[in-house]
Amino acid sequence: MRSPALPHRFVVNGRDIEAIAPPSMRLSDVLRDVLGLKGTKVGCDAGDCGACTVLVDGAQVCACLVPVGQVVGRSVETVEGLAREGRLHALQSAFLRHGAAQCGICTPGMLMAAADLLRRVPSPSEAEVLDALGGVLCRCTGYRKIVDAVLEAAHGGAESVAPSKGAVGTRLVRVDGVAKVTGTDRFGADAIPERGWLALRAVRSPYPHARFRFGDLDAFRRRQPGLVAILTAADVPGANRFGIYPTGKDQPVFAEGQVRMLGEAVCALVGDAETVAAIRDEDVPITWEPLPPISFDDALAGSAPDLHPHAPGNVLCRGRVACGDAATALASAPHRATIAIETSFVEHAYIEPEAGYAERIGDGIKIVACTQTPYMDRDEIALILGIPPERVRIVPTAVGGGFGGKLDLSLQPMIAIAAWRTGQPVRCVYTRPESIRTTTKRHPARIVAEAGCDEEGHLLAFRCHGDFNTGAYASWGPTVASRVPVHAMGPYRVPNVCVTTAAIHTTDTPAGAFRGFGVPQAAIAHEALMDALADRLGMDRLEFRLRNALRHADTTATGQVLDHSVGLVACLEALRPRWQALRAEAEAHNRSAHGPFRRGVGIACMWYGIGNTALSNPSEMTLGLKADGTITLYSGAVDIGQGSNTVMVQIAAEAFGVAPETIRLVVGDTARTRDAGKTSASRQTFVSGNAARLAGIDLRRQLLSLVNAGTDARIIPVPGGLEIRDGDRTMRPDLSRFAADANGDVLVGFGRFDPPTTALDADGRGVPYATYAFGAQIALVEVDLDLGTTRVLRMVAAHDVGRAINPTLVEGQIHGGIAQGIGLALMEEYIPGRNDNLHDYLIPTIGDVPPIEVLLIEDAEPLGPFGAKGVGEPALIATAPAIFGAIEHATGVRVTRIPATPDRLRAAILAAR
Amino acid sequence: MVMVLSGLGGSGLEYRRPVTIEEAVAALRARRHTVLAGGTDLFPARVGRPCDDALLDISGLTALRGIAETNQGWRFGALATWRDVWTADLPPLFNGLRAAAREVGGMQIQNRGTIGGNLCNASPAADGVPNWLALDATVELVSSTGSRRLPVAEFVLGNRRTARREDELLIAVHVPRPAHPARGTFRKLGARRYLVISIVMVAAVAEFAADGTIASARIAVGAASEVARRLPSLETRLIGQCPDPSVVREEDLAPLAPIDDVRATAAYRRDAALTLIRRAIADLA
Ligand SMILES: Cc1cc2nc3c(=O)[nH]c(=O)nc-3n(C[C@H](O)[C@H](O)[C@H](O)COP(=O)(O)OP(=O)(O)OC[C@H]3O[C@@H](n4cnc5c(N)ncnc54)[C@H](O)[C@@H]3O)c2cc1C
Ligand code: FES
Ligand code: FES
């Protein structure tokens, strides 16, 4: 029985409001959809993420758990009410200055939780900040900068944001920061079509493996007045296939008679939002014939039927790197160590679930959605709709976290087909369970590795095989299979290497791209071996690594000579004093410990090739100048929170020779920007940054040549145009005599960069990457021996980033990577169908990330823009192995089944007794 | 200023918000309703689908609010929130309950979630339940035909099962005043710092004789069986002794029946329960 929407009177941000809505409607939906206050974000609708935190009568609550019927007569405060008369609230400016907002999807919730605290406790302790913000999850920042920002806002110093001086190397406040802290940035679910729209919801398989038949869908549709269409595979205008690799398009938009994973879409309901939400999957006439699922064990045993005809034995692909003779060298090595590890599915858990809309415009389509890769989306949608790519326009919204999970298509094909077929705009917002169940994950890996060294501790050989569960569809499986062998021996000189990998199909969720493409899993194995060999020799674990660390002019296992920017030795040397002090402290603590708590300190190294593996991956950028002097950077590089918008502006500004504040930015829209590739593989700063630099140089050259100015002339923005000062000459070029292009620009600088790499031969020999990032991290942990719980007490991270274009952003990446590394090490394990929510799938909270010290090493990369490399993925790779080394130091137990949940660690401790 | 904006239709269902207990129980008698208090269990169970039950929103029943001392002990209104619990002025008997309150979800949940909802939802991992068992609490249920009181152990029957009839409302939880000075404690184990559902938890209360020995003790373990359980053999053994963790034996766990789930294995739950019980007893010293 339905009751009509009723009027509800309450106060929102000091204004009396009457909102007409059903009384049981969630306050979050009323704020967003009825009152249009989209600053309040929705990440789960279940109280688990806190993104929807607002104040009701001054106290923080999850707006998604409050029926609007309960706020009648009460006062509601949202992020929109924080800034007053155009002045940011002290918390907002502190968040900006500290870089406490990355993607910004959690920021409104964080700000409101902090506002609640500061009203109750004007000068809180750090512990009080943690308690107050403990209910809001952030997947990007690692929380530390948020804590700092709140403390600073409370204890003073939070005045207006100081304008930065200079461009490259400064702590420029992120260019999209104000939008993020005021709640005005528009994410996938905030972008609403202007015309009346239809909602889409996919009907999904309740089985991991099954055959199915539809009953009479037409009759079913006619019985539901609000239902406009039910789309199936038969409605796909072009190819019902997508996938990352041109040869690997194996995933259907809608399954055709067979599903290979839980939650696979079989059809989509399109209609008014209420109708579409009310229909349950069970009501749709579908007959299911369940088939036995294919587990990782089944697939590896070779006993399972083939999921795809092109992958016999369920092996999607293999990878290999070999040099020297690893088998012989191992057999004769004086010291050897072996390890076998197993890791789990890890969920990206970005706080923004996938969302967007599509609109048919004549014979073209426009898709406004969150994505990490607008141009790949464009090309894939074109194939699915059977139209040329030029008729597809992708307009990325702000992205509320990606980490690799928004590289693959999710809802875009479905909304595109629906808009194409119905002629009306179609919108879709994934629920949290839908997002977790159906999008890609980090590959579970089973890695067996062996290493040998001589009496002095020089590595002689490394051998390793890794099987990766790539799930039902290929996605980025081939990338993992090819990237891992290059990195699997770690950033060390090893003369004899043999690494093989295989990506294996199962009926699990597809595993795809997730911060590091398999390298974090491999690092757990190689770092365990480094610890074991050092211990065997009685050598210090840091010194052992230092002895073997790659240096300038060394040759990697693929035969690549590292000419420049190999800062690992500098990282280890920077860490050495901390390492020695922390080890000694921990050992002293343990000697005097009576209770069950033991401390340990671990260290781990990493390296990471920037950009795609042995494949061309160019970026192009343009910098436009209007007759009135307006400078616009057209960047196709999507900012997923990591800060590429800001970095591109800084680089372009430096190259062109103006302050970053003078540059406007157009991002991502495929109709206005050029292809800057995907936001992945830590490539945007290095590859797209170079394109931005070249565009800046090109525009500068064109401009200066207009007035015959010398190359070191200064460009000075003045009202209505630009002035050029060359020595004591000041010139004002007449820009109005040029014709403006479609963007209104009269001069356009162009930059293109494709990192120089070569293809790899059958032994993996060649130049897979133009440059590598290096780093090392130290973890201090405390283990409760009786409960098997681990707390990370401190992290120290040294990273060679070539050049920190913006140190605040680099630190932000490192903090966030460490937080995800802590999750990977200690708590994150997705079990398909069992924990597809943020209640049971645990990611670190504000209380789980310890103080982090960042030591930036800048071993300039000559190919990089102003020397820069990348840091997005490198940040995470060393964290888990450093934690496992620390756990071993504390307990004597080496963790091999990951994550080291309390039950696993306790079992291992008991087994070792 | 008044802004009149209209909703997107939305899935409105029957929704009542009575202000007296009489109205509320009359509604419950008239037809089946889902009771809504703080909504922190109710809404998460309805992600991605409209709420298709008739709701009886009891948040307007002021008689169900508050925590008060009575002649016999203490009365916790069913609508008392976790925040109310940890900010209330309560004696050391309630140290465990208050510690639990500070760890239920984050502050957003503590500001909204009620003790009544926690009991009626009857999750095996409900942090309230072992505390109420250790406090020897009874629940007060009211219907249009009268009221009754039940010990918590007889109220919570299983996973999401209680003795509440559909026409009844839980209106309060009563804790008797102990005969001796008493102290409580609570130990919760989870895999992260905040927002964590217990893998296992232990609540303990002891009353102390004048000589400092234990006059009576109640120890309850949650998340290690369908319903939190007290450990009678251990409780008896503690009497007459000073709190001593070493008296705990594995056989004391006989009432428990832990399972393997996403949070931990059954074997670990037993093992961890022993450790937590020992720590809880040490806390009481
Ligand atoms: C993020 C998050 C974290 C959480 N963490 C914890 C935790 O750490 N520990 C824990 O124990 N719980 C936790 N919970 C669960 C929940 O918050 C608590 O159980 C809370 O106390 C429930 O109270 P409520 O008022 O919100 O219940 P509601 O959701 O309003 O109701 C819960 C159930 O009880 C019924 N009900 C409520 N009140 C009455 C009444 N007076 N009479 C009859 N029936 C009634 C309702 O019909 C419903 O079935 C968490 C929840 C979330 C969302
Ligand atoms: S959306 Fe409300 S807590 Fe996640
Ligand atoms: S900045 Fe917190 S989730 Fe992205």
Side-chain angles (χ1 to χ4, degrees):
Chain A
M1 173 184 142
R2 303 209 159 174
S3 79
L6 300 172
H8 301 273
R9 282 170 180 256
F10 53 104
V11 175
V12 177
N13 297 327
R15 297 212 298 175
D16 289 324
I17 293 288
E18 183 166 289
I20 299 179
S24 64
M25 192 167 178
R26 297 165 189 264
L27 176 59
S28 47
D29 291 339
V30 172
L31 290 169
R32 291 175 50 81
D33 299 338
V34 182
L35 302 177
L37 296 174
K38 299 208 183 281
T40 299
K41 305 301 176 190
V42 172
C44 70
D45 265 346
D48 296 321
C49 73
C52 64
T53 299
V54 300
L55 309 189
V56 173
D57 287 347
Q60 56 168 311
V61 302
C62 294
C64 72
L65 303 183
V66 180
V68 65
Q70 288 191 354
V71 298
V72 171
R74 303 175 75 181
S75 157
V76 176
E77 290 165 81
T78 69
V79 69
E80 288 90 351
L82 277 184
R84 287 286 154 82
E85 284 139 26
R87 265 183 75 87
L88 294 181
H89 187 279
L91 280 165
Q92 291 171 313
S93 35
F95 266 55
L96 274 184
R97 226 182 3 265
H98 284 270
Q102 286 189 20
C103 80
I105 194 86
C106 72
T107 308
M110 288 288 183
L111 287 167
M112 298 318 289
D116 169 45
L117 170 71
L118 296 193
R119 271 186 230 167
R120 284 183 290 116
V121 189
S123 58
S125 66
E126 178 169 331
E128 285 169 320
V129 174
L130 300 185
D131 281 350
L133 273 55
V136 192
L137 297 177
C138 173
R139 192 56 155 169
C140 301
T141 63
Y143 302 102
R144 300 308 307 184
K145 287 182 181 285
I146 294 174
V147 176
D148 292 346
V150 175
L151 286 172
E152 190 194 87
H155 299 285
E159 288 311 312
S160 61
V161 179
S164 62
K165 305 262 177 299
V168 162
T170 64
R171 293 182 179 267
L172 183 71
V173 165
R174 29 180 339 133
V175 296
D176 43 13
V178 171
K180 294 191 189 291
V181 300
T182 53
T184 54
D185 213 8
R186 287 286 170 261
F187 295 88
D190 306 333
I192 301 274
E194 281 159 30
R195 294 193 289 135
W197 47 272
L198 300 171
L200 177 144
R201 188 175 75 75
V203 175
R204 298 182 177 279
S205 169
Y207 302 101
H209 196 195
R211 273 191 275 276
F212 68 94
R213 270 179 299 111
F214 290 115
D216 190 342
L217 290 179
D218 266 343
F220 178 77
R221 183 181 55 74
R222 281 193 301 271
R223 284 200 300 278
Q224 321 275 340
L227 203 55
V228 173
I230 303 179
L231 302 172
T232 68
D235 298 297
V236 182
N240 184 26
R241 284 283 175 275
F242 64 95
I244 299 306
Y245 285 83
T247 54
K249 299 211 183 292
D250 60 352
Q251 190 162 358
V253 179
F254 297 114
E256 297 171 13
Q258 183 189 358
V259 292
R260 298 178 183 84
M261 59 179 270
L262 197 68
E264 183 156 354
V266 295
C267 63
L269 309 175
V270 185
D272 69 68
E274 212 180 316
T275 304
V276 160
I279 297 171
R280 300 190 178 212
D281 282 10
E282 307 85 85
D283 303 336
V284 181
I286 305 172
T287 319
W288 294 97
E289 183 197 328
L291 298 169
I294 301 175
S295 68
F296 200 11
D297 281 325
D298 299 336
L300 285 174
S303 56
D306 291 346
L307 264 184
H308 298 279
H310 59 261
N314 288 312
V315 177
L316 166 66
C317 62
R318 295 182 186 278
R320 178 181 148 90
V321 164
C323 71
D325 180 351
T328 309
L330 273 171
S332 61
H335 299 281
R336 277 193 300 277
T338 61
I339 183 97
I341 61 150
E342 179 169 3
T343 71
S344 307
F345 277 115
V346 184
E347 156 64 16
H348 301 85
Y350 27 74
I351 304 303
E352 180 203 27
E354 292 72 5
Y357 73 88
E359 193 166 3
R360 182 170 182 163
I361 297 167
D363 62 358
I365 193 110
K366 179 172 96 172
I367 298 177
V368 181
C370 53
T371 178
Q372 290 181 239
T373 168
Y375 273 86
M376 274 168 68
D377 289 358
R378 182 195 69 163
D379 295 352
E380 293 234 71
I381 295 294
L383 291 174
I384 290 165
L385 292 185
I387 57 177
E390 300 71 48
R391 278 160 48 194
V392 180
R393 177 175 176 194
I394 305 287
V395 184
T397 61
V399 182
F403 318 112
K406 290 175 182 165
L407 288 166
D408 299 65
L409 292 176
S410 56
L411 43 72
Q412 298 93 330
M414 294 189 287
I415 55 178
I417 295 163
W420 192 256
R421 289 286 179 203
T422 63
Q424 275 176 270
V426 177
R427 180 170 185 252
C428 177
V429 179
Y430 275 5
T431 63
R432 174 58 58 178
E434 187 175 28
S435 171
I436 296 187
R437 207 176 298 153
T438 67
T439 61
T440 62
K441 302 282 165 282
R442 180 182 298 290
H443 285 73
R446 294 186 187 175
I447 298 174
V448 181
E450 189 173 7
C453 68
D454 66 16
E455 297 291 356
E456 281 74 52
H458 296 110
L459 287 170
L460 297 173
F462 182 90
R463 183 166 58 192
C464 163
H465 177 75
D467 288 312
F468 291 81
N469 177 355
T470 206
Y473 296 103
S475 179
W476 297 85
T479 314
V480 169
S482 64
R483 185 176 273 271
V484 168
V486 178
H487 295 84
M489 74 299 302
Y492 306 111
R493 306 163 160 169
V494 197
N496 301 288
V497 169
C498 180
V499 183
T500 52
T501 54
I504 307 291
H505 277 306
T506 64
T507 52
D508 287 331
T509 318
F514 189 167
R515 220 168 182 175
F517 288 109
V519 176
Q521 294 95 305
I524 292 169
H526 67 65
E527 290 307 277
L529 293 178
M530 296 308 119
D531 285 348
L533 288 174
D535 291 1
R536 203 143 304 170
L537 282 164
M539 218 173 138
D540 178 274
R541 289 177 172 186
L542 181 147
E543 302 304 330
F544 181 85
R545 287 172 167 85
L546 195 51
R547 178 152 306 174
N548 291 288
L550 285 169
R551 290 163 164 79
H552 288 256
D554 277 345
T555 305
T556 70
T558 69
Q560 179 176 358
V561 178
L562 300 176
D563 296 315
H564 305 284
S565 190
V566 193
L568 182 58
V569 167
C571 289
L572 285 167
E573 284 172 350
L575 288 178
R576 187 189 272 134
R578 309 288 194 288
W579 166 253
Q580 289 171 348
L582 288 171
R583 288 283 279 198
E585 266 171 51
E587 280 160 18
H589 173 273
N590 292 345
R591 273 194 300 278
S592 61
H594 300 295
F597 296 100
R598 291 291 177 281
R599 292 194 174 174
V601 182
I603 187 165
C605 297
M606 60 69 52
W607 65 323
Y608 196 77
I610 302 298
N612 294 4
T613 310
L615 290 172
S616 158
N617 62 126
S619 281
E620 297 182 353
M621 291 262 171
T622 52
L623 188 65
L625 180 62
K626 295 191 175 37
D628 66 359
T630 307
I631 313 161
T632 311
L633 179 66
Y634 300 90
S635 164
V638 175
D639 191 324
I640 56 175
Q642 88 284 27
S644 56
N645 283 346
T646 310
V647 164
M648 296 308 143
V649 167
Q650 284 180 273
I651 290 174
E654 182 88 22
F656 183 60
V658 291
E661 289 79 6
T662 58
I663 295 194
R664 295 210 213 157
L665 185 64
V666 171
V667 186
D669 183 339
T670 57
R672 302 187 68 191
T673 67
R674 288 174 178 258
D675 187 355
K678 60 207 165 53
T679 297
S680 83
S682 303
R683 59 181 290 286
Q684 289 299 24
T685 295
F686 180 63
V687 184
S688 299
N690 254 324
R693 181 181 63 91
L694 294 168
I697 290 173
D698 185 30
L699 184 63
R700 179 179 173 85
R701 188 190 43 74
Q702 293 179 42
L703 182 68
L704 297 187
S705 69
L706 290 182
V707 290
N708 288 323
T711 50
D712 50 1
R714 284 171 59 212
I715 300 173
I716 297 158
V718 291
L722 294 175
E723 262 179 22
I724 293 165
R725 279 193 207 140
D726 188 11
D728 46 13
R729 291 195 304 151
T730 296
M731 292 147 296
R732 177 110 184 221
D734 176 15
L735 298 171
S736 60
R737 63 195 162 98
F738 298 102
D741 68 7
N743 289 322
D745 294 317
V746 292
L747 291 181
V748 178
F750 171 76
R752 179 179 200 277
F753 182 73
D754 190 4
T757 60
T758 69
L760 302 183
D761 69 13
D763 273 341
R765 313 277 296 166
V767 179
Y769 309 101
T771 189
Y772 296 80
F774 294 87
Q777 295 181 0
I778 295 175
L780 166 67
V781 307
E782 182 169 85
V783 179
D784 182 333
L785 298 178
D786 291 344
L787 291 175
T789 48
T790 305
R791 274 175 61 212
V792 185
L793 300 179
R794 189 160 163 202
M795 293 289 309
V796 190
H799 283 269
D800 167 22
V801 297
R803 173 87 189 271
I805 303 288
N806 183 325
T808 303
L809 294 175
V810 172
E811 289 158 7
Q813 285 304 292
I814 293 172
H815 287 196
I818 285 174
Q820 291 187 357
I822 291 171
L824 169 70
L826 299 178
M827 63 186 84
E828 297 192 32
E829 174 170 19
Y830 174 61
I831 305 168
R834 290 185 61 194
N835 53 355
D836 42 26
N837 56 61
L838 297 173
H839 210 58
D840 296 316
Y841 184 84
L842 302 183
I843 65 171
T845 66
I846 200 167
D848 298 299
V849 183
I852 298 168
E853 185 185 0
V854 174
L855 307 170
L856 292 183
I857 304 297
E858 297 186 309
D859 187 345
E861 166 54 55
L863 278 176
F866 305 100
K869 300 191 283 191
V871 73
E873 292 157 291
L876 164 142
I877 296 169
T879 309
I883 290 173
F884 296 138
I887 290 177
E888 187 183 49
H889 185 216
T891 65
V893 167
R894 173 57 62 168
V895 171
T896 56
R897 182 70 181 87
I898 290 131
T901 50
D903 56 345
R904 286 190 186 132
L905 184 54
R906 172 68 178 157
I909 290 170
L910 287 177
R913 278 193 178 156
Chain B
M1 187 187 109
V2 176
M3 286 171 65
V4 182
L5 296 154
S6 123
L8 307 170
S11 47
L13 299 144
E14 186 185 314
Y15 184 99
R16 282 169 194 268
R17 192 162 184 269
V19 291
T20 66
I21 295 180
E22 294 68 42
E23 277 177 82
V25 293
L28 284 179
R29 189 186 51 189
R31 63 163 294 185
R32 208 191 159 286
H33 279 90
T34 299
V35 176
L36 165 69
T40 63
D41 277 318
L42 198 133
F43 280 99
R46 287 162 179 76
V47 174
R49 65 180 173 90
C51 193
D52 49 11
D53 17 21
L55 291 179
L56 182 74
D57 178 350
I58 59 168
S59 62
L61 304 180
T62 42
L64 269 57
R65 301 226 178 108
I67 300 170
E69 196 163 353
T70 64
N71 288 337
Q72 294 76 36
W74 290 265
R75 174 191 185 273
F76 290 77
L79 287 176
T81 62
W82 295 110
R83 174 68 166 273
D84 294 336
V85 171
W86 64 259
T87 53
D89 184 15
L90 291 166
L93 168 67
F94 294 101
N95 285 358
L97 183 70
R98 292 178 57 183
R102 291 215 69 145
E103 289 194 77
V104 169
M107 286 220 186
Q108 297 91 333
I109 304 299
Q110 293 160 22
N111 283 336
R112 295 272 309 165
T114 65
I115 59 150
N118 187 252
L119 273 165
C120 293
N121 189 59
S123 156
D127 287 320
V129 178
N131 282 290
W132 297 122
L133 290 174
L135 290 164
D136 207 16
T138 53
V139 297
E140 181 181 353
L141 297 160
V142 172
S143 70
S144 58
T145 56
S147 75
R148 58 176 179 145
R149 289 198 185 196
L150 278 179
V152 167
E154 289 169 32
F155 177 70
V156 185
L157 301 177
N159 185 1
R160 320 254 161 204
R161 279 190 304 122
T162 68
R164 183 179 81 86
R165 295 194 316 262
E166 285 195 349
D167 67 338
E168 283 179 315
L169 203 59
L170 173 74
I171 67 161
V173 181
H174 297 273
V175 175
R177 191 183 316 284
H180 305 275
R183 214 166 20 249
T185 187
F186 179 66
R187 288 277 183 161
K188 169 170 175 170
L189 169 65
R192 67 179 177 187
R193 175 64 187 86
Y194 290 105
L195 285 180
V196 67
I197 302 302
S198 300
I199 296 174
V200 58
M201 72 282 209
V202 173
V205 166
E207 297 181 28
F208 294 90
D211 63 358
T213 60
I214 295 175
S216 74
R218 287 176 300 274
I219 296 182
V221 180
S225 35
E226 219 186 315
V227 185
R229 294 280 182 222
R230 278 175 57 181
L231 307 179
S233 65
L234 175 62
E235 292 177 2
T236 315
R237 205 175 323 116
L238 285 166
I239 294 174
Q241 308 212 352
C242 288
D244 173 8
S246 70
V247 305
V248 182
R249 298 184 197 146
E250 223 171 314
E251 305 85 81
D252 293 328
L253 302 184
L256 307 182
I259 55 162
D260 289 337
D261 67 10
V262 288
R263 288 190 263 278
T265 61
Y268 174 76
R269 283 197 161 88
R270 280 183 180 284
D271 179 53
L274 279 177
T275 298
L276 294 182
I277 294 165
R278 292 193 178 108
R279 290 183 187 176
I281 291 175
D283 291 343
L284 294 174

